Amino acid sequence: MPVSASAIYFLNLRGDVLINRLYRDDVGNANVACGFKFVVEAVALFKSYFGGAFDEDAIRNNFVLIYELLDEIMDFGYPQNLSPEILKLYITQEGVRFAIFIKGVQLYMMLGVICREAHSFALPSDKPVPNATLQVTGAVGWRREGLFYKKNEVFLDIVESVNLLMSSKGSVLRCDVTGKILMKCFLSGMPDLKLGLNDKIGLEKESQIKSRPMKSGKTIELDDVTFHQCVNLTRFNSEKTVSFVPPDGEFELMKYRITEGVNLPFRVLPTIKELGRTRLEVNVKSSRFQFQSKLPRQAFKSHQVEQKYNAAIDCLVWKIRKFPGQTEATMSAEVELISTMAEKKPWTRPPIQMEFQHNYQSTEQAIFTQHKYSRHNGFPF
Amino acid sequence: MSGHDSKYFSTTKKGEIPELKEELNSQYKDKKKDAVKKVIAAMTVGKDVSSLFTDVVNCMQTENLELKKLVYLYLINYAKSQPDLAILAVNTFVKDSQDPNPLIRALAVRTMGCIRVDKITEYLCDPLQRCLKDDDPYVRKTAAICVAKLYDINAELVEDRGFLDTLKDLISDNNPMVVANAVAALAEIQENSTRPIFEITSHTLSKLLTALNECTEWGQVFILDALSRYKAADAREAENIVERVTPRLQHANCAVVLSAVKMILQQMELITSIDVVRNLCKKMAPPLVTLLSAEPEIQYVALRNINLIVQKRPTILAHEIKVFFCKYNDPIYVKMEKLEIMIKLASDRNVDQVLLEFKEYATEVDVDFVRKAVRAIGRCAIKLERAAERCISVLLELIKIKVNYVVQEAIIVIKDIFRRYPNTYESIIATLCESLDTLDEPEAKASMIWIIGEYAERIDNADELLESFLESFPEEPAMVQLQLLTATVKLFLKKPTEGPQQMIQVVLNNATVETDNPDLRDRAYIYWRLLSTDPEAAKDVVLAEKPVISDDSNSLDPSLLDELLANIATLSSVYHKPPETFVSRAKSTSTRQDDEEYADAVETGYSESPSYTVENPAVTSTSSSTVRQTGSAAPASSSAPTSPPAPVQDLLGDLIGLDNAIVPVDQPTASYGPALPVLLPSSTGQGLQISAQLVRRDGQVFYSLLLENSSQMVLDGFMIQFNKNTFGLAAAGPLQIPTLQPATSTRTLLPMVLFQNLSPGPPNSLLQVAVKNNQQPVWYFNDKIPLHIFFSEDGRMERTSFLETWKALPDSNEVAKDLLVAVIHSIDTTIEHLATANVFFVAKRKNANKDILYMSAKGPRGIPLLIELTAAVGVPGVKCAVKTPSPELAPLFFDAMENLLK
């Protein structure tokens, strides 16, 4: 049975129920994958309504709106349309907005952000659109009709997270990349977009790969790709082009994974020595970035100036503004730990986290070979 | 205007309700709306605002959509408690269902379906009929789900009004969301119905597969889940289906991916071409791996499912073991599951890498994780013979770092490795002995002692080592005591010198006289007698070669595995248990008999708190035995609880209308049914007589037991165990029998579960039972499993589907037998009698002087049994023919019928 939930509860950290909505009683052997995914999407929806925040205050301040949304996004335990774009057409109460609250999201090692452009996007008008219901249920359940922009623009961001494990001697033990392509669309009408990938995706038949002339080493193998629901999967399977009618505004077009052929732009060699109970010597030799190293809880003070200890996240933060190629930088720090009465806990050896920006070139070089944009019936371009 | 709703929560003054009442009746719209918001806020924090029902309902007729929604929300919550007043809302509902605005039409139908009040349900039918044929797809999709809601409240009504046919028509709707919801509704109705309602033909299949492309992500899940029940006719069709489902693997929604995987795995069973299968395996691997970059909860669900998938098709992820390596910031529940999968995927090719990982994990800080990692190394050693030596050297390195719990865990697994590879790695015993005095956990101690005993002849100072443990013998946990006892005996048999002889005296004395643990005492006496009668025989017994253990990492039974794989993405696949073991609500509640209070209580208890029900028969039997021996001294049982147990707390009681069931305590024994056959006569059982029989009550199988104590002893500590059997019957909980005084008896109903411990081979009805208590030896006896206890309440078949099923089965599936002792005295009483055993009448005809009856039943795992009985009324001898997809059950079936018709 695809039913995924019998009720939804909003709890705070203490476990008090803030709001609940009961849809039905027993659901038996429910589809849990569907249930968890629904919850994740629902939270994204609420955040989109409340302008980013989703905490106890936001919930209390918007309880009427939440009830209204809960009624719409799930019926008798079956998830319905959760697309914010469409719901905003007819559930028009505006959420109470707060300044965007950024949680310390911990990516594993490096985060490359490429050609990022800030751009705020307009909220749809507050007037309900008369044919809202047709759009909720339409084949393109994520885009409303009648959009018009004077300037038609598309932005593509590629965000990659590289997960790397090195031995103490500096050889790479494990390395993989998970990337996502974020798209921001401001296009009129019902555009049909096509995106061609310069790759040899592992899903192709091997014969096809062999028959294709080898390019000059610029191709890279994507282990797997997954697409936003707007992408026509059957067509991708047969023609290998990503074709889609995009939602308006920002969305995650696709995700991919790479394990082979990842070139690392940096090399980091940390040495950490525990000097007795309360001292820690940290030496890091590296190459171009901002970088954080997690320290034991008790750490409170570091001697050098070029790097800072950030107490809020328990980290030693080292910022490097520019890092030209073929160069090296070294940081050394000594950390004094508060001596505690209790026995010293073993250090968990957390990973070093790096964040960097890198313009115009992705580590994976999945450069787009084509970017077609065709329009449907007569909207001015 | 809107927003900052939190202010509505803050009215906690006295006289709140009258104040709200006044505001609700205000003539100003804004004030009214605010008041309704306050009411909803009060409802949210759990205050009872049901007294405002009339006033809130009066606000219902409004143009303001927001206000209307709030009132509807209020109605959903309180209509149940005010059924008479709820009728006030009906007019507005019906009016709203014809509103020009499709949003309001849909809202009205959706809300009416959520109000589970009979009176309202009647009025729901007409609007629902209209909405199912509405021009607007939004209304139709809402109405489709509403049919499922109505079916849940009143199934007959849905069938009478022909909603099912309308719903089936919606499968061909031109709007994909309507199609998806109709499929979801039909699939759910089918699940709760005994009749075939939603049959997937190849035509619907192809239509729905086409619809997949246009559906929302959730719609795709509904459709894929519904289609996964479809059985393709041949390999070609299966390949065709798979080809059309494979693109779904690229979907960003994990539920779509898992449902697609489920469907592909199902169809793969039929595909014969090795190339196609290999290709599919290759295609499924990357999407499964990608699931591991989702949110941790989703990762967990994915990992539990992957665990099943790699058991069935190890090749899919054979090359992907690296992705299961634990990350620093994985939550612990994800790490544990990853470890489990790493063990499953470990092979001679990757074992070096895996061992490096395990070794790394074994030095982390989370104790549970570290232990599991150490155990994983041991399991690899047992699984991969060629890697065993490397595993052992890793374990030895870990022992050298001298972290206490690592050492202990390592010793436990090394013991298993010794059992797997006897006489191979004993050279490391010396290293193990070094850490002897750090052991403080029972399991590690017991393992070490076992090793010392087993290899006593190779350890020079074995006697000294054991002696050091013996000092604290009385304080040790039972597990350690048992091992000490055995190890000392082994030592003595291997080195019959003076030292060990003294030790054995001490141990045997301790274990027979000083202890009150029966297991220990039994074992000690056996050794004692063996040693005193025939030391050579003792040697043969105690030092006999032990069977080599094997790898337990592929532990699921193949049939269970298949069942779980058919349930990918659901709770069942996460629990690794078949759905019927945790989905408690019986499918057909309509057959429930009102006068059977006991059975009612069992069912309610099951759906709300299983542990409570298990106690229930015990409480009953305690009180009955107390009653019977009034006057006699009964210290144990008189202290047993005789007051009625606290009522079951029913959290959803208000909503789903279950009354809190109080279990009747002094249930007359008559309710347990007729006399039970004696299986263990008191002459064999040293005064204990056991009569028992398997019975079916309210859709659940029980073992009905009567224990009579005619011995001079007080018997207690009863336990029961069932051997492997054809249907995997096993006790669902411990046997709850209190102390049994001399000359008393007790009855109990032990709930049973199916498919736990399946024995291989052709089906047979043998059930081997062992019962033990603290005073007597273990009693073994045999019982028969009558097949009809599995016949489920939903086995009734319509005449047409009976004919179809009959035709669909090949003639080779028909088996017939003459039941000589059976007799039909009257057609009607026989039909009635068989119906109580869930054998249902379908049709009859006359042929010469004989009557032919056609009947249906549904056996274990839902196997249909189509039955033809031919007999002359009043004349002994009935010809019984049965046609079923599982003809191997026929002999058992004939036995059952003979019993029923006697």
Side-chain angles (χ1 to χ4, degrees):
Chain A
M1 219 168 27
V3 167
S4 57
S6 60
I8 292 179
Y9 292 88
F10 291 71
L11 308 179
N12 65 8
L13 281 176
R14 278 187 316 190
D16 308 332
V17 177
L18 299 177
I19 286 187
N20 63 9
R21 173 77 157 91
L22 308 168
Y23 291 100
R24 58 186 298 163
D25 40 288
D26 223 348
V27 292
N29 189 22
N31 187 325
V32 270
C34 195
F36 278 128
K37 186 68 189 174
F38 173 82
V39 173
V40 170
E41 300 264 304
V43 171
L45 171 69
F46 293 132
K47 282 185 176 167
S48 141
Y49 261 94
F50 309 153
F54 186 60
D55 50 25
E56 196 168 341
D57 285 340
I59 291 169
R60 276 183 189 279
N61 279 316
N62 292 293
F63 81 95
V64 174
L65 172 60
I66 292 180
Y67 274 131
E68 205 174 332
L69 284 170
L70 286 177
D71 200 37
E72 200 58 51
I73 59 179
M74 185 172 255
D75 193 5
F76 202 45
Y78 294 98
Q80 303 292 308
N81 201 331
L82 268 86
S83 158
E85 189 53 27
I86 293 295
L87 285 168
K88 279 175 185 166
L89 289 178
Y90 63 104
I91 297 194
T92 49
Q93 290 196 50
E94 232 179 279
V96 182
R97 284 152 180 282
F98 293 89
I100 292 178
F101 163 77
I102 298 163
K103 218 176 128 200
V105 185
Q106 288 190 11
L107 289 177
Y108 201 75
M109 188 89 200
M110 299 189 239
L111 182 76
V113 183
I114 297 142
C115 59
R116 179 111 212 153
E117 283 194 43
H119 206 296
S120 68
F121 62 103
L123 275 170
S125 67
D126 280 2
K127 299 234 166 59
V129 179
N131 59 354
T133 55
L134 292 177
Q135 298 201 10
V136 183
T137 54
V140 186
W142 50 85
R143 187 181 178 91
R144 64 198 174 107
E145 277 170 21
L147 287 169
F148 176 72
Y149 289 97
K150 260 190 192 157
K151 204 172 157 194
N152 284 289
E153 288 174 301
V154 177
F155 301 94
L156 273 180
D157 287 345
I158 300 178
V159 179
E160 292 187 335
S161 136
V162 182
N163 190 344
L164 171 83
L165 190 70
M166 269 199 217
S167 74
S168 54
K169 294 189 184 79
S171 62
V172 177
L173 295 177
R174 193 160 82 217
C175 181
D176 57 85
V177 177
T178 46
K180 45 188 173 184
I181 298 183
L182 302 177
M183 199 162 192
K184 216 181 267 180
C185 278
F186 307 102
L187 298 172
S188 312
M190 277 287 175
D192 199 350
L193 301 192
K194 267 188 191 159
L195 194 73
L197 298 175
N198 171 25
D199 65 359
K200 39 170 190 169
I201 290 167
L203 302 155
E204 278 181 82
K205 292 201 181 83
E206 268 164 32
S207 56
Q208 276 177 311
I209 295 171
K210 274 180 199 151
S211 66
R212 220 166 41 181
M214 281 298 288
K215 287 181 188 160
S216 53
K218 282 275 179 184
T219 53
I220 191 124
E221 199 160 340
L222 299 183
D223 284 22
D224 187 32
V225 279
T226 56
F227 295 104
H228 185 266
Q229 59 162 327
C230 68
V231 176
N232 186 329
L233 296 175
T234 314
R235 204 179 298 168
F236 175 75
N237 234 35
S238 53
E239 299 166 22
K240 295 292 150 215
T241 47
V242 184
S243 78
F244 56 100
V245 179
D248 199 40
E250 197 174 343
F251 69 102
E252 188 183 297
L253 177 66
M254 65 178 266
K255 265 196 206 158
Y256 55 85
R257 267 190 312 113
I258 310 168
T259 46
E260 309 268 309
V262 182
N263 292 322
L264 293 168
F266 307 111
R267 173 160 289 213
V268 186
L269 290 174
T271 44
I272 292 165
K273 267 190 217 155
E274 292 182 58
L275 308 168
R277 271 171 58 101
T278 57
R279 287 167 85 82
L280 207 62
E281 193 185 278
V282 186
N283 278 297
V284 184
K285 198 157 77 172
S286 95
S287 332
R288 141 177 103 157
F289 48 28
Q290 179 194 354
F291 120 113
Q292 302 175 343
S293 157
K294 237 179 181 337
L295 290 171
R297 281 242 154 239
Q298 307 98 319
F300 81 110
K301 194 171 151 191
S302 73
H303 291 306
Q304 262 76 22
V305 221
E306 67 206 76
Q307 67 277 339
K308 252 194 267 171
Y309 173 68
N310 185 335
I313 48 174
D314 271 343
C315 280
L316 198 61
V317 181
W318 180 21
K319 284 185 187 166
I320 301 171
R321 293 206 180 279
K322 263 190 188 168
F323 213 150
Q326 309 290 324
T327 53
E328 224 177 62
T330 318
M331 170 197 95
S332 61
E334 223 174 85
V335 182
E336 250 178 61
L337 308 175
I338 299 169
S339 57
T340 45
M341 294 300 286
E343 188 130 330
K344 198 170 137 262
K345 281 190 216 136
W347 191 36
T348 58
R349 283 168 300 169
I352 293 172
Q353 185 180 320
M354 299 170 41
E355 252 175 69
F356 63 94
Q357 279 197 0
H358 184 182
N359 286 332
Y360 308 121
Q361 193 209 339
S362 145
T363 38
E364 48 95 20
Q365 297 167 337
I367 293 159
F368 306 102
T369 51
Q370 45 166 321
H371 190 181
K372 251 192 224 157
Y373 175 2
S374 59
R375 282 174 300 133
H376 279 255
N377 48 29
F379 275 100
F381 193 58
Chain B
M1 182 60 240
S2 60
H4 292 294
D5 297 338
S6 54
K7 64 172 185 273
Y8 300 114
F9 287 99
S10 56
T11 49
T12 48
K13 281 169 274 171
K14 273 187 189 163
E16 190 187 352
I17 298 272
E19 207 171 274
L20 279 173
K21 207 178 182 91
E22 196 177 305
E23 285 175 33
L24 283 171
N25 292 315
S26 158
Q27 50 185 326
Y28 301 108
K29 276 184 184 161
D30 283 350
K31 206 163 188 189
K32 235 182 192 175
K33 191 162 144 191
D34 273 6
V36 176
K37 282 190 182 177
K38 278 183 204 163
V39 172
I40 300 287
M43 185 180 96
T44 302
V45 294
K47 277 181 214 153
D48 182 13
V49 282
S50 58
S51 55
L52 295 167
F53 198 87
T54 330
D55 308 277
V56 177
V57 170
N58 282 339
C59 303
M60 196 171 164
Q61 277 186 340
T62 166
E63 292 300 300
N64 186 317
L65 193 57
E66 192 191 347
L67 179 56
K68 198 182 263 301
K69 283 181 179 171
L70 290 173
V71 176
Y72 277 14
L73 184 69
Y74 177 89
L75 273 171
I76 294 176
N77 268 0
Y78 287 111
K80 189 85 201 175
S81 60
Q82 309 270 356
D84 295 330
L85 291 174
I87 210 83
L88 293 173
V90 163
N91 263 334
T92 321
F93 272 131
V94 175
K95 213 174 114 216
D96 280 354
S97 75
Q98 286 160 302
D99 195 279
N101 184 346
L103 287 173
I104 294 184
R105 291 204 296 277
L107 182 67
V109 171
R110 187 165 62 212
T111 313
M112 271 181 103
C114 295
I115 298 176
R116 304 171 62 92
V117 173
D118 286 340
K119 282 180 196 153
I120 292 217
T121 320
E122 287 164 30
Y123 292 95
L124 170 61
C125 291
D126 291 327
L128 182 56
Q129 196 101 53
R130 264 198 309 276
C131 288
L132 279 169
K133 300 202 162 130
D134 200 288
D135 287 338
D136 195 298
Y138 181 77
V139 182
R140 288 203 301 276
K141 74 125 185 161
T142 313
I145 295 279
C146 191
V147 177
K149 291 182 190 170
L150 186 59
Y151 193 89
D152 195 37
I153 307 170
N154 190 341
E156 265 173 51
L157 199 59
V158 172
E159 289 177 25
D160 292 349
R161 297 289 297 250
F163 285 133
L164 292 179
D165 291 328
T166 324
L167 197 55
K168 276 184 223 167
D169 292 343
L170 289 183
I171 295 184
S172 315
D173 200 284
N174 55 16
N175 184 294
M177 201 152 175
V178 178
V179 176
N181 279 4
V183 168
L186 279 169
E188 177 172 344
I189 290 172
Q190 178 66 75
E191 189 135 313
N192 294 315
S193 168
T194 52
R195 294 194 305 116
I197 289 167
F198 181 39
E199 306 245 43
I200 299 168
T201 60
S202 57
H203 179 66
T204 26
L205 176 89
S206 119
K207 210 158 44 181
L208 289 177
L209 284 176
T210 317
L212 267 185
N213 253 334
E214 324 236 284
C215 276
T216 63
E217 39 193 338
W218 313 109
Q220 297 184 18
V221 178
F222 304 163
I223 292 181
L224 287 170
D225 275 5
L227 291 185
S228 66
R229 288 190 293 124
Y230 181 79
K231 300 269 175 296
D234 51 30
R236 256 188 64 202
E237 191 184 9
E239 278 181 42
N240 198 3
I241 296 173
V242 165
E243 197 172 312
R244 297 176 70 178
V245 174
T246 333
R248 298 299 122 203
L249 294 174
Q250 250 71 54
H251 205 287
N253 186 318
C254 62
V256 177
V257 175
L258 277 175
S259 291
V261 167
K262 165 162 60 187
M263 188 143 174
I264 293 173
L265 283 173
Q266 296 283 66
Q267 301 301 340
M268 263 166 87
E269 296 286 295
L270 280 171
I271 299 178
T272 43
S273 152
I274 299 168
D275 278 350
V276 176
V277 170
R278 196 170 40 210
N279 205 6
L280 281 174
C281 287
K282 224 165 114 194
K283 276 186 182 162
M284 268 189 284
L288 285 174
V289 172
T290 301
L291 292 177
L292 299 183
S293 47
E295 289 75 13
E297 295 84 1
I298 294 175
Q299 279 186 48
Y300 178 74
V301 174
L303 286 166
R304 291 293 283 176
N305 279 292
I306 288 172
N307 190 323
L308 297 172
I309 295 168
V310 296
Q311 285 187 47
K312 178 79 183 178
R313 304 216 174 246
T315 48
I316 294 185
L317 292 164
H319 301 283
E320 303 280 359
I321 193 164
K322 273 189 173 181
V323 299
F324 298 102
F325 288 177
C326 300
K327 293 183 183 162
Y328 170 76
N329 45 2
D330 279 338
I332 187 72
Y333 53 89
V334 167
K335 283 185 175 170
M336 293 290 207
E337 282 307 313
K338 281 187 171 175
L339 261 185
E340 200 59 44
I341 292 170
M342 283 167 75
I343 302 171
K344 289 207 163 67
L345 292 178
S347 64
D348 286 330
R349 210 163 28 77
N350 57 26
V351 71
D352 285 328
Q353 242 179 337
V354 172
L355 280 178
L356 263 178
E357 282 292 312
F358 285 160
K359 195 179 155 190
E360 197 64 31
Y361 304 158
T363 56
E364 287 204 13
V365 282
D366 186 305
V367 176
D368 287 335
F369 182 57
V370 170
R371 283 175 186 276
K372 187 146 184 168
V374 177
R375 232 163 244 241
I377 300 174
R379 280 170 67 182
C380 273
I382 292 167
K383 183 179 166 189
L384 307 167
E385 187 162 1
R386 271 188 279 172
E389 200 168 337
R390 277 168 281 171
C391 295
I392 289 197
S393 66
V394 172
L395 286 172
L396 287 178
E397 282 173 53
L398 290 174
I399 289 179
K400 281 189 192 120
I401 56 174
K402 296 236 182 267
V403 175
N404 195 0
Y405 52 84
V406 175
V407 174
Q408 309 212 35
E409 205 65 34
I411 286 177
I412 295 170
V413 297
I414 287 176
K415 174 209 64 180
D416 288 339
I417 296 174
F418 283 169
R419 292 231 26 211
R420 170 74 175 78
Y421 309 105
N423 306 316
T424 322
Y425 300 110
E426 284 72 20
S427 52
I428 64 169
I429 291 177
T431 324
L432 301 185
C433 290
E434 286 166 19
S435 6
L436 208 59
D437 36 340
T438 57
L439 306 179
D440 53 6
E441 289 165 24
E443 203 183 347
K445 259 189 188 175
S447 302
M448 191 67 219
I449 294 168
W450 181 87
I451 293 172
I452 298 174
E454 186 67 18
Y455 299 103
E457 73 275 23
R458 307 190 192 195
I459 308 170
D460 295 336
N461 57 345
D463 42 352
E464 286 169 34
L465 295 176
L466 279 182
E467 206 159 10
S468 64
F469 283 108
L470 280 182
E471 286 158 19
S472 54
F473 187 91
E475 291 88 50
E476 295 289 357
M479 185 193 244
V480 180
Q481 288 179 331
L482 283 168
Q483 284 308 329
L484 264 177
L485 172 63
T486 307
T488 325
V489 174
K490 283 180 184 165
L491 173 71
F492 171 71
L493 288 172
K494 287 176 174 175
K495 295 181 181 173
T497 53
E498 198 179 327
Q501 192 157 9
Q502 274 173 358
M503 276 162 71
I504 201 133
Q505 289 295 342
V506 175
V507 173
L508 286 178
N509 187 44
N510 259 317
T512 50
V513 184
E514 310 273 320
T515 182
D516 46 11
N517 178 341
D519 282 351
L520 183 64
R521 204 165 44 211
D522 283 358
R523 195 185 285 192
Y525 273 123
I526 290 173
Y527 285 141
W528 200 330
R529 279 175 204 160
L530 265 174
L531 290 171
S532 54
T533 39
D534 186 355
E536 277 313 303
K539 244 181 197 169
D540 288 345
V541 172
V542 180
L543 304 179
E545 211 166 288
K546 283 158 202 67
V548 170
I549 59 167
S550 63
D551 167 41
D552 66 336
S553 56
N554 281 349
S555 46
L556 285 178
D557 180 82
S559 62
L560 175 62
L561 182 61
D562 283 341
E563 191 178 354
L564 295 180
L565 283 171
N567 282 303
I568 281 183
T570 65
L571 271 183
S572 165
S573 72
V574 174
Y575 292 162
H576 290 184
K577 280 181 184 167
E580 61 266 21
T581 54
F582 60 89
V583 178
S584 49
R585 201 162 293 267
K587 273 185 183 174
S588 48
T589 41
S590 52
T591 55
R592 185 198 294 179
Q593 284 161 10
D594 288 340
D595 52 348
E596 247 188 292
E597 274 182 71
Y598 177 77
D600 259 4
V602 168
E603 189 187 321
T604 321
Y606 259 93
S607 52
E608 308 303 333
S609 92
S611 63
Y612 176 68
T613 323
V614 175
E615 284 165 22
N616 182 29
V619 173
T620 319
S621 53
T622 313
S623 61
S624 65
S625 66
T626 319
V627 169
R628 213 167 288 182
Q629 33 150 308
T630 11
S632 76
S637 57
S638 61
S639 63
T642 46
S643 59
V648 180
Q649 272 302 321
D650 183 353
L651 292 173
L652 294 172
D654 288 343
L655 271 163
I656 55 180
L658 281 172
D659 294 319
N660 289 345
I662 297 174
V663 181
V665 170
D666 44 2
Q667 190 70 34
T669 33
S671 78
Y672 288 116
L676 301 166
V678 176
L679 298 175
L680 179 79
S682 59
S683 52
T684 325
Q686 295 179 3
L688 176 69
Q689 175 159 311
I690 301 177
S691 322
Q693 194 172 28
L694 283 162
V695 295
R696 184 181 187 89
R697 272 173 209 277
D698 246 51
Q700 162 92 20
V701 178
F702 291 92
Y703 202 45
S704 176
L705 283 154
L706 169 66
L707 282 82
E708 290 162 279
N709 181 6
S710 55
S711 72
Q712 302 304 314
M713 279 189 288
V714 177
L715 303 176
D716 62 9
F718 281 98
M719 293 211 252
I720 193 165
Q721 178 91 43
F722 296 88
N723 200 355
K724 279 186 183 177
N725 54 73
T726 299
F727 301 99
L729 275 169
L735 186 62
Q736 300 279 344
I737 291 186
T739 311
L740 199 54
Q741 297 293 330
T744 57
S745 70
T746 180
R747 271 176 182 264
T748 186
L749 271 183
L750 175 70
M752 304 285 282
V753 284
L754 277 171
F755 312 126
Q756 294 300 306
N757 237 337
L758 295 164
S759 70
N764 66 65
S765 62
L766 183 66
L767 179 68
Q768 293 172 314
V769 191
V771 172
K772 70 171 249 186
N773 56 52
N774 285 346
Q775 285 71 29
Q776 295 181 317
V778 183
W779 301 117
Y780 299 93
F781 53 90
N782 291 343
D783 195 359
K784 271 187 110 171
I785 306 174
L787 190 69
H788 64 263
I789 56 154
F790 302 118
F791 293 172
S792 57
E793 286 69 11
D794 59 351
R796 189 183 292 281
M797 260 193 189
E798 293 303 308
R799 194 183 289 225
T800 47
S801 61
F802 182 89
L803 278 173
E804 274 169 29
T805 324
W806 186 282
K807 278 186 204 144
L809 290 167
D811 286 340
S812 57
N813 280 23
E814 187 176 338
V815 191
K817 190 186 175 189
D818 284 310
L819 310 178
L820 298 174
V821 290
V823 63
I824 293 178
H825 291 294
S826 135
I827 302 279
D828 290 341
T829 47
T830 304
I831 290 174
E832 221 169 276
H833 173 62
L834 288 177
T836 58
N838 294 331
V839 177
F840 300 101
F841 171 72
V842 180
K844 67 173 172 186
R845 68 189 171 94
K846 238 179 150 58
N847 185 12
N849 61 337
K850 296 204 164 174
D851 283 286
I852 304 177
L853 293 177
Y854 293 94
M855 323 204 71
S856 72
K858 199 186 244 184
R861 296 193 198 275
I863 299 167
L865 295 156
L866 310 179
I867 306 151
E868 185 191 63
L869 297 177
T870 317
V873 173
V875 181
V878 174
K879 185 176 179 243
C880 175
V882 62
K883 203 169 188 184
T884 164
S886 315
E888 69 276 7
L889 286 177
L892 298 186
F893 172 74
F894 296 134
D895 282 355
M897 284 308 277
E898 202 150 19
N899 252 322
L900 289 172
L901 292 173
K902 240 190 277 190

